[in-house]
PDB file of all heavy atoms in Angstrom:
ATOM      1  N   PRO A  48      68.726 167.535  88.847  1.00 95.00           N
ATOM      2  CA  PRO A  48      69.010 168.231  87.657  1.00 95.00           C
ATOM      3  C   PRO A  48      68.091 167.959  86.513  1.00 95.00           C
ATOM      4  O   PRO A  48      68.058 166.759  86.009  1.00 95.00           O
ATOM      5  CB  PRO A  48      70.447 168.054  87.376  1.00 95.00           C
ATOM      6  CG  PRO A  48      70.785 166.792  88.177  1.00 95.00           C
ATOM      7  CD  PRO A  48      69.774 166.616  89.215  1.00 95.00           C
ATOM      8  N   ARG A  49      67.425 168.852  86.123  1.00 94.00           N
ATOM      9  CA  ARG A  49      66.464 168.780  84.917  1.00 94.00           C
ATOM     10  C   ARG A  49      67.137 168.171  83.681  1.00 94.00           C
ATOM     11  O   ARG A  49      68.174 168.672  83.327  1.00 94.00           O
ATOM     12  CB  ARG A  49      65.752 170.102  84.585  1.00 94.00           C
ATOM     13  CG  ARG A  49      64.770 170.004  83.639  1.00 94.00           C
ATOM     14  CD  ARG A  49      64.089 171.354  83.401  1.00 94.00           C
ATOM     15  NE  ARG A  49      63.430 171.677  84.700  1.00 94.00           N
ATOM     16  CZ  ARG A  49      62.797 172.733  84.912  1.00 94.00           C
ATOM     17  NH1 ARG A  49      62.730 173.733  83.953  1.00 94.00           N
ATOM     18  NH2 ARG A  49      62.295 173.016  86.104  1.00 94.00           N
ATOM     19  N   GLY A  50      66.607 167.161  83.159  1.00 94.00           N
ATOM     20  CA  GLY A  50      67.115 166.462  81.865  1.00 94.00           C
ATOM     21  C   GLY A  50      68.112 165.534  82.044  1.00 94.00           C
ATOM     22  O   GLY A  50      68.489 164.874  81.075  1.00 94.00           O
ATOM     23  N   LEU A  51      68.652 165.368  83.289  1.00 96.00           N
ATOM     24  CA  LEU A  51      69.665 164.306  83.444  1.00 96.00           C
ATOM     25  C   LEU A  51      68.987 162.933  84.001  1.00 96.00           C
ATOM     26  O   LEU A  51      68.155 163.107  84.829  1.00 96.00           O
ATOM     27  CB  LEU A  51      70.745 164.767  84.392  1.00 96.00           C
ATOM     28  CG  LEU A  51      71.606 165.910  84.068  1.00 96.00           C
ATOM     29  CD1 LEU A  51      72.575 166.237  85.104  1.00 96.00           C
ATOM     30  CD2 LEU A  51      72.285 165.549  82.760  1.00 96.00           C
ATOM     31  N   SER A  52      69.524 161.900  83.550  1.00 95.00           N
ATOM     32  CA  SER A  52      69.020 160.595  83.996  1.00 95.00           C
ATOM     33  C   SER A  52      69.751 160.123  85.139  1.00 95.00           C
ATOM     34  O   SER A  52      70.941 160.430  85.254  1.00 95.00           O
ATOM     35  CB  SER A  52      68.999 159.556  82.798  1.00 95.00           C
ATOM     36  OG  SER A  52      70.093 159.133  82.561  1.00 95.00           O
ATOM     37  N   HIS A  53      69.214 159.223  85.928  1.00 92.00           N
ATOM     38  CA  HIS A  53      69.954 158.549  87.040  1.00 92.00           C
ATOM     39  C   HIS A  53      70.913 157.541  86.561  1.00 92.00           C
ATOM     40  O   HIS A  53      72.024 157.414  87.276  1.00 92.00           O
ATOM     41  CB  HIS A  53      68.828 157.782  87.829  1.00 92.00           C
ATOM     42  CG  HIS A  53      67.984 158.668  88.636  1.00 92.00           C
ATOM     43  ND1 HIS A  53      68.255 159.150  89.951  1.00 92.00           N
ATOM     44  CD2 HIS A  53      66.739 159.152  88.347  1.00 92.00           C
ATOM     45  CE1 HIS A  53      67.355 159.921  90.341  1.00 92.00           C
ATOM     46  NE2 HIS A  53      66.380 159.964  89.453  1.00 92.00           N
ATOM     47  N   GLU A  54      70.863 157.247  85.285  1.00 92.00           N
ATOM     48  CA  GLU A  54      71.931 156.356  84.747  1.00 92.00           C
ATOM     49  C   GLU A  54      73.104 157.047  84.205  1.00 92.00           C
ATOM     50  O   GLU A  54      74.221 156.553  84.229  1.00 92.00           O
ATOM     51  CB  GLU A  54      71.253 155.433  83.572  1.00 92.00           C
ATOM     52  CG  GLU A  54      70.243 154.532  83.912  1.00 92.00           C
ATOM     53  CD  GLU A  54      68.903 155.130  84.228  1.00 92.00           C
ATOM     54  OE1 GLU A  54      68.577 156.124  83.644  1.00 92.00           O
ATOM     55  OE2 GLU A  54      68.191 154.494  85.055  1.00 92.00           O
ATOM     56  N   THR A  55      72.921 158.205  83.843  1.00 91.00           N
ATOM     57  CA  THR A  55      74.092 159.014  83.294  1.00 91.00           C
ATOM     58  C   THR A  55      74.658 160.124  84.274  1.00 91.00           C
ATOM     59  O   THR A  55      75.868 160.507  83.999  1.00 91.00           O
ATOM     60  CB  THR A  55      73.691 159.644  81.919  1.00 91.00           C
ATOM     61  OG1 THR A  55      72.613 160.575  82.126  1.00 91.00           O
ATOM     62  CG2 THR A  55      73.267 158.806  80.867  1.00 91.00           C
ATOM     63  N   PHE A  56      74.021 160.480  85.215  1.00 96.00           N
ATOM     64  CA  PHE A  56      74.657 161.477  86.137  1.00 96.00           C
ATOM     65  C   PHE A  56      75.256 160.844  87.172  1.00 96.00           C
ATOM     66  O   PHE A  56      74.737 160.081  88.057  1.00 96.00           O
ATOM     67  CB  PHE A  56      73.548 162.379  86.686  1.00 96.00           C
ATOM     68  CG  PHE A  56      74.024 163.382  87.620  1.00 96.00           C
ATOM     69  CD1 PHE A  56      75.162 164.240  87.391  1.00 96.00           C
ATOM     70  CD2 PHE A  56      73.208 163.716  88.925  1.00 96.00           C
ATOM     71  CE1 PHE A  56      75.444 165.149  88.414  1.00 96.00           C
ATOM     72  CE2 PHE A  56      73.625 164.679  89.696  1.00 96.00           C
ATOM     73  CZ  PHE A  56      74.786 165.327  89.448  1.00 96.00           C
ATOM     74  N   HIS A  57      76.622 160.929  87.222  1.00 96.00           N
ATOM     75  CA  HIS A  57      77.539 160.193  88.362  1.00 96.00           C
ATOM     76  C   HIS A  57      77.678 161.184  89.446  1.00 96.00           C
ATOM     77  O   HIS A  57      78.283 162.311  89.302  1.00 96.00           O
ATOM     78  CB  HIS A  57      78.738 159.868  87.672  1.00 96.00           C
ATOM     79  CG  HIS A  57      79.750 159.265  88.628  1.00 96.00           C
ATOM     80  ND1 HIS A  57      79.499 158.175  89.349  1.00 96.00           N
ATOM     81  CD2 HIS A  57      80.836 159.955  89.173  1.00 96.00           C
ATOM     82  CE1 HIS A  57      80.576 157.904  90.257  1.00 96.00           C
ATOM     83  NE2 HIS A  57      81.377 158.985  90.171  1.00 96.00           N
ATOM     84  N   TYR A  58      77.454 160.727  90.657  1.00 97.00           N
ATOM     85  CA  TYR A  58      77.696 161.385  91.805  1.00 97.00           C
ATOM     86  C   TYR A  58      77.904 160.437  92.974  1.00 97.00           C
ATOM     87  O   TYR A  58      77.445 159.279  92.826  1.00 97.00           O
ATOM     88  CB  TYR A  58      76.672 162.362  92.299  1.00 97.00           C
ATOM     89  CG  TYR A  58      75.297 161.686  92.488  1.00 97.00           C
ATOM     90  CD1 TYR A  58      74.940 161.265  93.772  1.00 97.00           C
ATOM     91  CD2 TYR A  58      74.486 161.443  91.514  1.00 97.00           C
ATOM     92  CE1 TYR A  58      73.765 160.650  93.975  1.00 97.00           C
ATOM     93  CE2 TYR A  58      73.245 160.804  91.708  1.00 97.00           C
ATOM     94  CZ  TYR A  58      72.847 160.433  93.080  1.00 97.00           C
ATOM     95  OH  TYR A  58      71.680 159.907  93.219  1.00 97.00           O
ATOM     96  N   ASP A  59      78.750 160.717  93.905  1.00 97.00           N
ATOM     97  CA  ASP A  59      79.067 159.745  95.022  1.00 97.00           C
ATOM     98  C   ASP A  59      78.090 160.000  96.216  1.00 97.00           C
ATOM     99  O   ASP A  59      77.945 159.093  97.107  1.00 97.00           O
ATOM    100  CB  ASP A  59      80.510 159.840  95.460  1.00 97.00           C
ATOM    101  CG  ASP A  59      81.486 159.614  94.359  1.00 97.00           C
ATOM    102  OD1 ASP A  59      81.561 158.434  93.983  1.00 97.00           O
ATOM    103  OD2 ASP A  59      82.227 160.366  93.870  1.00 97.00           O
ATOM    104  N   LEU A  60      77.624 161.148  96.271  1.00 97.00           N
ATOM    105  CA  LEU A  60      76.755 161.494  97.474  1.00 97.00           C
ATOM    106  C   LEU A  60      75.779 162.759  97.010  1.00 97.00           C
ATOM    107  O   LEU A  60      76.280 163.594  96.299  1.00 97.00           O
ATOM    108  CB  LEU A  60      77.679 162.056  98.569  1.00 97.00           C
ATOM    109  CG  LEU A  60      76.794 162.630  99.832  1.00 97.00           C
ATOM    110  CD1 LEU A  60      76.008 161.512 100.540  1.00 97.00           C
ATOM    111  CD2 LEU A  60      77.861 163.169 100.793  1.00 97.00           C
TER     112      LEU A  60
END
Side-chain angles (χ1 to χ4, degrees):
R49 186 174 296 175
L51 293 182
S52 73
H53 289 272
E54 292 78 31
T55 60
F56 178 44
H57 170 71
Y58 60 92
D59 298 301
L60 176 66

